[in-house]
């Protein structure tokens, strides 16, 4: 299967992920979540929230009681937990390891959180555990990584990472 | 029923109380400032505009033989919802504000069945009804506004009831 088509097979869309996380956050904070609360948190209309929640209810991820209070099912909670973990891990990877600004790291983590596979996320967690150990090896790794960043010669012929053009140069815009 | 011409425009709707920008405190306990009230009305304005867009989309997305019966219902829903939005916009203007709307709406380019279209319409009509019911609680004490919101609730309730009736069975 072509990779781009996998987006169609993702369990939840970006929007759906945020609806689920909003329900989770509200229940943790207020003890309940209503459609109106989710709408305010996400800055969208109640109609939009209601329409978006419908497939999530049908998928068994969200439940609504007789008082119209929302809560996540066990499957929904598990999905939200994994998405939040991925956001946290990706955010840390970008900001703390790669040196991306905290703001940009948060934005990019938000874009990726629901798309990342559990397999890749597990490897990232393992990598962060290596970083967090603070051993001599991990410290040396960081020092080497940071000094290497400043050594780019922008010469593709002398760079093992660049197939033809300088990869760094292609990303200078924007 | 979606009755043509059932605009919620009783005479009292046009006679607005004079709102200042400072918080107003009414005998009934409502303490929304003019700005807060305008903000609340902007929210239901957005609900109505978005519902109208969804009706228009559904009216053109529904497929199958039942389209013959459902399309007019959806188009009537569109017309009436736009009228509701206009009335809300007039209320916002009467407060000295300009209606503001920010929408994030995605309507998929896929056909829907007649039943599905009505189910979706019921979902956002119920949401609009709840928005008015919440607003009613917030404007308690402001009698003209209360009456206006009640009339909107009556209309939205009728929409919801009709859609539920159509979805029976």
């Amino acid at each position: 299967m072509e990779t781009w088509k996998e987006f169609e097979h993702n369990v939840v869309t970006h929007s759906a992920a945020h609806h689920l996380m909003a329900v989770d956050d509200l229940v943790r904070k207020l003890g309940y979540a209503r459609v109106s609360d989710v709408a305010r948190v996400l800055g969208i209309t109640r109609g939009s929230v209601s329409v978006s929640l419908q497939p999530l209810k049908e998928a068994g991820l969200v439940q609504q009681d007789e008082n119209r209070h929302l809560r996540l099912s066990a499957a929904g909670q598990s999905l939200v937990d994994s998405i939040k973990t991925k956001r946290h891990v990706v955010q840390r990877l970008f900001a703390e390891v790669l040196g991306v600004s905290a703001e940009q790291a948060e934005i990019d983590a938000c874009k990726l959180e629901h798309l990342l596979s559990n397999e890749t996320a597990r490897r990232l967690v393992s990598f962060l555990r290596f970083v967090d150990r603070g051993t001599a090896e991990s410290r040396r790794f960081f020092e080497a990584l940071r000094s290497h960043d400043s050594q780019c010669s922008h010469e593709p012929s002398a760079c093992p990472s660049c197939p033809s053009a300088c990869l760094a140069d292609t990303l200078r815009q924007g | 029923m979606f009755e043509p011409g059932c605009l919620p425009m009783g005479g009292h709707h046009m006679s607005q109380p004079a709102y200042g920008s400072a918080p107003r405190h009414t005998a009934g306990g409502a303490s929304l400032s003019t700005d807060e009230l305008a903000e609340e009305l902007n929210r239901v304005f957005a609900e109505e505009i978005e519902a109208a867009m969804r009706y228009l989309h559904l009216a053109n997305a529904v497929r199958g033989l039942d389209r013959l019966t459902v399309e007019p219902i959806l188009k009537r829903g569109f017309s009436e919802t736009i009228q509701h939005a206009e009335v809300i916009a007039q209320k916002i203007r009467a407060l000295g504000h300009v209606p503001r709307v920010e929408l994030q709406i995605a309507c998929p380019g896929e056909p829907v069945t007649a039943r599905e279209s009505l189910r979706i319409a019921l979902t956002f009509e119920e949401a609009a009804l709840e928005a008015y019911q919440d607003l009613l609680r917030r404007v308690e004490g402001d009698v003209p506004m209360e009456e206006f919101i009640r009339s909107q609730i009556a209309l939205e309730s009728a929409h919801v009831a009709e859609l539920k009736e159509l979805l029976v069975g």
Side-chain angles (χ1 to χ4, degrees), chain B residues 112-134:
Chain B
V112 293
T113 64
R115 186 173 185 80
E116 179 67 3
S117 70
L118 294 175
R119 195 190 58 73
I120 294 170
L122 176 60
T123 300
F124 61 74
E125 284 286 7
E126 284 183 327
L129 174 59
E130 286 182 21
Y132 281 114
Q133 288 169 335
D134 274 2

Side-chain angles (χ1 to χ4, degrees), chain B:
Chain B
M1 291 291 292
F2 294 141
E3 293 172 5
C6 60
L7 262 177
M9 290 293 292
H12 61 278
H13 299 136
M14 304 304 289
S15 56
Q16 290 288 330
Y19 293 127
S21 58
R24 62 195 165 79
H25 302 273
T26 66
S31 58
L32 286 181
S33 69
T34 303
D35 290 349
E36 288 169 336
L37 180 57
E39 189 58 34
E40 293 291 337
L41 290 172
N42 269 317
R43 287 201 181 92
V44 289
F45 180 60
E47 296 285 350
E48 296 285 13
I49 292 281
E50 187 174 303
M53 292 167 70
R54 289 190 188 279
Y55 267 125
L56 182 62
H57 174 260
L58 288 172
N60 289 282
V62 67
R63 294 290 184 272
L65 197 58
D66 290 340
R67 174 183 175 80
L68 294 171
T69 48
V70 168
E71 185 188 10
I73 295 170
L74 295 171
K75 285 190 171 172
R76 201 159 72 241
F78 166 73
S79 301
E80 292 184 14
T81 309
I82 279 288
Q83 288 174 335
H84 294 180
E86 192 170 6
V87 174
I88 297 294
Q90 287 168 1
K91 288 287 177 192
I92 296 168
R93 278 170 46 206
L95 293 173
H97 285 250
V98 174
R100 177 176 56 79
V101 62
E102 292 173 32
L103 298 178
Q104 282 197 320
I105 177 172
C107 298
E110 294 159 7
V112 293
T113 64
R115 186 173 185 80
E116 179 67 3
S117 70
L118 294 175
R119 195 190 58 73
I120 294 170
L122 176 60
T123 300
F124 61 74
E125 284 286 7
E126 284 183 327
L129 174 59
E130 286 182 21
Y132 281 114
Q133 288 169 335
D134 274 2
L135 182 54
L136 179 62
R137 283 188 279 275
R138 300 209 66 190
V139 301
E140 192 179 341
D142 179 346
V143 175
M145 188 56 70
E146 272 188 49
E147 286 188 29
F148 167 67
I149 300 299
R150 282 202 178 92
S151 69
Q152 293 296 107
I153 288 172
L155 287 167
E156 296 295 343
S157 298
H159 286 193
V160 167
E162 187 194 18
L163 288 167
K164 281 183 175 172
E165 196 174 3
L166 290 168
L167 283 165
V168 168

